[in-house]
Every structure is written in structure tokens, then in C-alpha cells.
Amino acid sequence: MGTAVLGSFAGCAQFDQSASGGDGSNGEATETEAEADEPTGPYRAWLPEPDAFGEDHYYFWYIDYAQLRANESHFDPEVYDVYTEDEALFARSDFSAADVDGAVSLTPVNDGNTYAVVTGSFSATAVADSLTEREFEEDRDIDEYTVYRNPGRGEFGVKDGTIVLTGNPDSDHVRTLIETKNGEVSRYTEASEAMATLLQPVGPETFVGGDTSDPYTDEQAEPESFQFAGQVGYSFGETVDGDRTTREIVVLFETADDVDMDAIAQFTGSDWFATSTDVSSKQEGRMVTITAELPTDEFYAN
């Protein structure tokens, strides 16, 4: 099951960049469970350490559907429909984007599957009835969730207001996500200093995403395609506020010496920023932050 429309930068292939190996971390992150549940990143509590997927890295993205709906009139209608008519999420149950507050999707690079968490105003009973009609059967309980399984279609962990889902019923990663949220599995920001650093500047924005990676080599570097030598991760946050959208991109390098602001300038001068204004970038140690604004009606409009 794919949920590739759960993102904005995430929807662009060159930003969906994972690689196996280390993440350039200088040590373990120290984020507490309370910090992970703060409004600055409610999605963070659902992100397990990569090792839980048998990976060194993975990509995630998040949509705040409440903010999305509040700005509907400012989007290009076709772009808005892409986010609110996601068949991978909504065609499998009787709820719609109107019932959803937020959705986070996780894509381990080697696993080949996408895992997602959807929160909103739906009831467990309504979702269970819908799944039963679609030939899912009640399989087991995991903590406060009831898991429904169809061997050919996936698994759903369901409770009032929350659904944890996967198209891979043999992975048991519905359990992984539930136990991560409940604090039984270490989180990405606890296991990876790089991810903890990348998410520090990113708050409760309309669209959020991020990834860690092995350091890119000189041969892999393609600045106009958002790949820089020495890069070990990135994050982005995009806040839609009426007819303007603010974009923040954070690029993390293995060391401060790896930062090449000329390469960053190649990126900010590329077609990705053709409709943006007030584009700026700054270096702080081994981290570079790029900010820009664009008209909301040009947000990934074709």
C-alpha cells in the first residue's frame, strides 16, 4: 500500500532519498518522551528507531489535515484533491480527509513497504465495520488496539481516533508503531542524533518530512537535485497560511567542513525555487537552513 501523496517535498522523487549505513551521528540523542509528545512535533512519537525496521535510515512525512482544510480555498484545486483524495488511505475505510486531523507515513528504504498512522474523529466501531465489509478479520489485540488482518491486503490497528496501518501483514510493524508511541520501542530521535538535530527547527507545520543517510560522496553530489557531498540528512517544514506558504529546509552535513554554500546556492537557484520569493540560506555549524515563501496556489501546481 503506498501513501506517497502524504507529503509535499515528499511527493518529489529526488527528495525521497534514503541510503543504508551510518547517519553521521556524533552520539545518541537525548530527547525525552515528554518532548516527543510536545506540539512541536506530535508525529515524532510515532517514529521508531530505524533498527526496528532492520534499517539504518528511513524517510517519513506528515500532514496536518486540519491546517490543510483551513486553507482549502488558497490551494490549486487539483493539488488540494491529491492530498484529500488519497485512495491508499481513504478508499479502504468509510472515513475521509474530513475526519482526519493528521497522518504520518514511514517508508523504510529496503523494506519496500509504507507504514502509516492516521488520527482523527472517527470511531473504532465505524472503522471496524468498514474493514469487516472489506474482508478484514479481527486477528489480535496489541495494547489498546484491535488488529484487523487480510493476508492479501494488510493490517489495521484500530482504536477510537487512531488507525495504524500497513500493506504488509507479515511484518508485525503495526505492533512496532504502537509500541513506539507507548514508549516501549526507542524512537528515531532517541537513536539518531542526526534526526534529533534535523527536527529541532521543525515545528507544528502543515507538511513535515525528513530522512537520514550515509554521507553523500563527491560522485553522488548533485546540488540542483538536492544532494550535497557530505550530507547525512535533511528535513523540511512547510506552513500554509492563507495565500502564502513558508518553506524551511534543513540540510545536515557530517562535519561543518563539508558544508559548501556555493553548492547550496546552486540548489536555491534551481527550478525548485522558480515560484519562490525571499529565498535565503544560512550555515550554523554542520547545519544549513534554507527558507523561502511561495504563493499557496502554486504549491506543487503543474
Side-chain angles (χ1 to χ4, degrees), residues 67 70-76 239-246 275 277 293-299:
Q67 289 189 28
N71 289 281
E72 177 180 2
S73 63
H74 300 284
F75 279 93
D76 177 285
T239 299
V240 181
D241 185 10
D243 61 2
R244 303 296 295 175
T245 293
T246 301
T275 61
T277 60
E293 288 193 2
L294 71 157
T296 301
D297 62 4
E298 295 187 18
F299 186 84

Side-chain angles (χ1 to χ4, degrees), residues 23 36 41 62 76 93 95 112 115 118 120 125 141 150-151 169 185 192 197 207 239 257 272 275:
D23 63 2
Y62 170 80
D76 177 285
S93 296
F95 66 89
Y115 306 91
V118 182
T125 300
D141 291 331
N150 179 313
V185 172
S192 168
T197 300
F207 302 93
T239 299
D257 290 340
W272 287 105
T275 61

Side-chain angles (χ1 to χ4, degrees), residues 50-286:
D51 190 55
F53 293 120
E55 307 269 357
D56 294 302
H57 315 279
Y58 66 85
Y59 178 72
F60 87 91
W61 59 96
Y62 170 80
I63 293 180
D64 184 323
Y65 273 90
Q67 289 189 28
L68 188 71
R69 289 191 300 270
N71 289 281
E72 177 180 2
S73 63
H74 300 284
F75 279 93
D76 177 285
E78 292 184 4
V79 172
Y80 185 81
D81 288 347
V82 166
Y83 292 114
T84 58
E85 296 180 3
D86 182 358
E87 293 186 1
L89 286 177
F90 306 127
R92 294 171 181 261
S93 296
D94 288 334
F95 66 89
S96 69
D99 304 308
V100 174
D101 296 330
V104 59
S105 184
L106 304 81
T107 308
V109 64
N110 296 316
D111 184 288
N113 292 280
T114 295
Y115 306 91
V117 179
V118 182
T119 59
S121 57
F122 41 83
S123 72
T125 300
V127 175
D129 289 345
S130 175
L131 291 171
T132 300
E133 290 175 4
R134 289 162 173 78
E135 299 183 342
F136 281 78
E137 295 183 356
E138 185 173 333
D139 184 72
R140 64 196 187 282
D141 291 331
I142 301 176
D143 294 337
E144 66 270 44
Y145 293 80
T146 301
V147 177
Y148 296 84
R149 188 176 191 272
N150 179 313
R153 301 181 66 186
E155 279 193 345
F156 284 66
V158 179
K159 73 171 187 176
D160 286 339
T162 306
I163 300 170
V164 183
L165 61 97
T166 177
N168 179 9
D170 299 320
S171 69
D172 204 27
H173 286 323
V174 164
R175 178 184 300 276
T176 298
L177 299 185
I178 291 169
E179 292 184 348
T180 300
K181 180 63 168 65
N182 290 345
E184 301 168 56
V185 172
S186 294
R187 295 172 178 156
Y188 208 159
T189 47
E190 295 169 333
S192 168
E193 185 269 344
M195 182 56 75
T197 300
L198 286 163
L199 292 186
Q200 284 175 0
V202 180
E205 307 188 48
T206 315
F207 302 93
V208 177
D211 194 4
T212 58
S213 68
D214 278 356
Y216 282 94
T217 65
D218 290 339
E219 291 73 23
Q220 292 173 311
E222 296 181 10
E224 292 189 5
S225 296
F226 196 58
Q227 293 185 187
F228 308 101
Q231 176 183 336
V232 295
Y234 74 93
S235 65
F236 67 87
E238 295 163 320
T239 299
V240 181
D241 185 10
D243 61 2
R244 303 296 295 175
T245 293
T246 301
R247 174 171 291 160
E248 182 175 51
I249 307 163
V250 181
V251 188
L252 188 67
F253 292 83
E254 190 171 27
T255 71
D257 290 340
D258 292 312
V259 177
D260 182 347
M261 293 305 291
D262 289 336
I264 296 291
Q266 283 184 257
F267 173 56
T268 58
S270 70
D271 289 344
W272 287 105
F273 294 87
T275 61
S276 298
T277 60
D278 299 323
V279 181
S280 65
S281 56
K282 66 177 181 179
Q283 177 184 357
E284 296 178 283
R286 66 190 187 112

